[in-house]
Amino acid sequence: MNISSVGVIGAGQMGNGIAHVFALAGFDILLHDISEQALQKAVTIIEGNLERQVSREKITAAERDAALGRIRLEKELPALGQTDLVIEAATEREDLKHQIFKGLVPHLADHTILTSNTSSISITRLASGTDRPERFMGFHFMNPVPLMQLVELIRGIATNDETYQTLKAVVDKLGKTHASAEDFPAFIVNRILMPMINEAIYTLYEGVGSVESIDTSLKLGANHPMGPLALADFIGLDTCLAIMSVLHDGLADTKYRPCPLLVKYVEAGWLGRKTDRGFYDYRGETPVPTR
């Protein structure tokens, strides 16, 4: 199946990045959000990121302008129904995702492929609430989308091979690399990454090391580009907690129990960079550890 038009649901950090890379690769984009403010902010971020690519000579000014011309903003969800491919990139809450698909399904074209950018939730379960489980897949991009090369492709139990092959071809057109994952909690990347982050938080919680010493140790001792606590702030502590909860509930193993300190930070609304406070305080010129 040939994909030319793409609907992206959610104009946040992931949604605007997905819209960016698809528009740059020549796809026509309908970017949806219920918030006009979120849509306008997304356009500003996309413009800034494209301009950065121009300044670094990754793309030309003409390619930037063409990409921006392919993005249309849309507040009404049903309008996305006639696109060839829909990518849901809303908050990592299963009830919200089911609600979105329920509102969209009556308006879908027969050929439209539905996907979710979920980082942990069962694709089979999400697909079962739609009219097309055979044309439903997990399409998990990494953050930040314009920079990260990997896309996880996750088939639900009913996903047909044509859908899988179509999305594999889309990933190739984006210039990214795919990895196929089975439909188990958190798939591949987050099944491995999130317990590491959670263990780093336990290390802080138990007083084994400070925020700074833990991040320095992993950066210099394991050659990680970013410490696990700084990375958690970048991802969003609410997202980290949601994924750990999916792992804990889905696999029923105590090794996936979310650290109580992670829970406390989320309860406080200290979610990381997006709220200016997490394991670091970002309100000054340089980030300062909060513990």
Side-chain angles (χ1 to χ4, degrees):
M1 177 181 164
N2 183 49
I3 303 292
S4 61
S5 59
V6 180
V8 180
I9 300 172
Q13 193 173 38
M14 295 304 297
N16 72 60
I18 291 168
H20 172 150
V21 298
F22 271 86
L24 200 52
F27 296 90
D28 293 323
I29 305 300
L30 267 181
L31 180 59
H32 164 78
D33 202 288
I34 57 173
S35 164
E36 181 66 34
Q37 184 181 4
L39 287 170
Q40 295 306 323
K41 183 180 178 183
V43 170
T44 301
I45 291 170
I46 292 169
E47 286 175 344
N49 288 338
L50 286 168
E51 187 57 46
R52 194 173 295 112
Q53 287 179 297
V54 171
S55 67
R56 293 175 181 172
E57 299 183 349
K58 301 288 185 184
I59 62 172
T60 66
E63 288 172 325
R64 173 202 62 201
D65 294 343
L68 287 171
R70 293 186 191 106
I71 299 172
R72 204 172 94 216
L73 306 182
E74 181 57 67
K75 280 193 70 179
E76 301 302 320
L77 182 62
L80 276 63
Q82 298 306 303
T83 58
D84 301 322
L85 168 66
V86 173
I87 305 169
E88 172 273 312
T91 305
E92 192 71 352
R93 274 179 38 212
E94 186 169 346
D95 61 334
L96 176 62
K97 294 178 188 294
H98 278 297
Q99 183 183 331
I100 288 168
F101 289 126
K102 184 178 179 182
L104 181 62
V105 161
H107 308 282
L108 291 174
D110 290 341
H111 70 280
T112 303
I113 292 175
L114 282 181
T115 68
S116 176
N117 184 58
T118 178
S119 50
S120 62
I121 297 167
S122 167
I123 299 304
T124 298
R125 208 159 55 232
L126 290 175
S128 70
T130 75
D131 66 341
R132 59 196 66 209
E134 72 285 354
R135 290 197 301 284
F136 192 109
M137 271 190 68
F139 206 23
H140 182 213
F141 289 80
M142 306 296 130
N143 185 32
V145 181
L147 297 180
M148 301 295 277
Q149 287 301 303
L150 183 71
V151 182
E152 282 184 314
L153 296 180
I154 308 102
R155 280 183 275 201
I157 196 169
T159 306
N160 64 29
D161 193 58
E162 183 189 3
T163 298
Y164 172 76
Q165 295 299 336
T166 298
L167 291 188
K168 195 173 159 188
V170 168
V171 174
D172 290 341
K173 189 174 178 182
L174 294 175
K176 295 188 182 293
T177 301
H178 83 279
S180 297
E182 293 300 318
D183 187 19
F184 288 97
F187 320 129
I188 295 173
V189 173
N190 283 316
R191 171 76 177 263
I192 298 167
L193 176 64
M194 284 302 156
M196 184 199 77
I197 287 174
N198 196 51
E199 193 61 29
I201 301 169
Y202 265 114
T203 306
L204 178 65
Y205 176 61
E206 294 169 4
V208 180
S210 65
V211 168
E212 192 170 23
S213 63
I214 291 166
D215 276 356
T216 299
S217 295
L218 269 292
K219 281 163 63 181
L220 302 183
N223 206 27
H224 289 190
M226 184 184 292
L229 301 175
L231 179 57
D233 277 356
F234 181 75
I235 293 167
L237 303 192
D238 53 340
T239 300
C240 293
L241 178 57
I243 296 169
M244 285 309 302
S245 297
V246 166
L247 279 166
H248 191 228
D249 294 344
L251 298 171
D253 193 322
T254 55
K255 73 180 180 181
Y256 299 116
R257 183 171 71 97
C259 179
L261 185 60
L262 173 59
V263 176
K264 284 296 175 194
Y265 269 69
V266 173
E267 287 175 345
W270 292 18
L271 308 181
R273 285 185 175 270
K274 60 186 171 186
T275 59
D276 287 330
R277 272 194 295 188
F279 292 111
Y280 293 85
D281 189 325
Y282 300 94
R283 292 174 296 176
E285 286 187 17
T286 56
V288 178
T290 54
R291 288 180 82 85

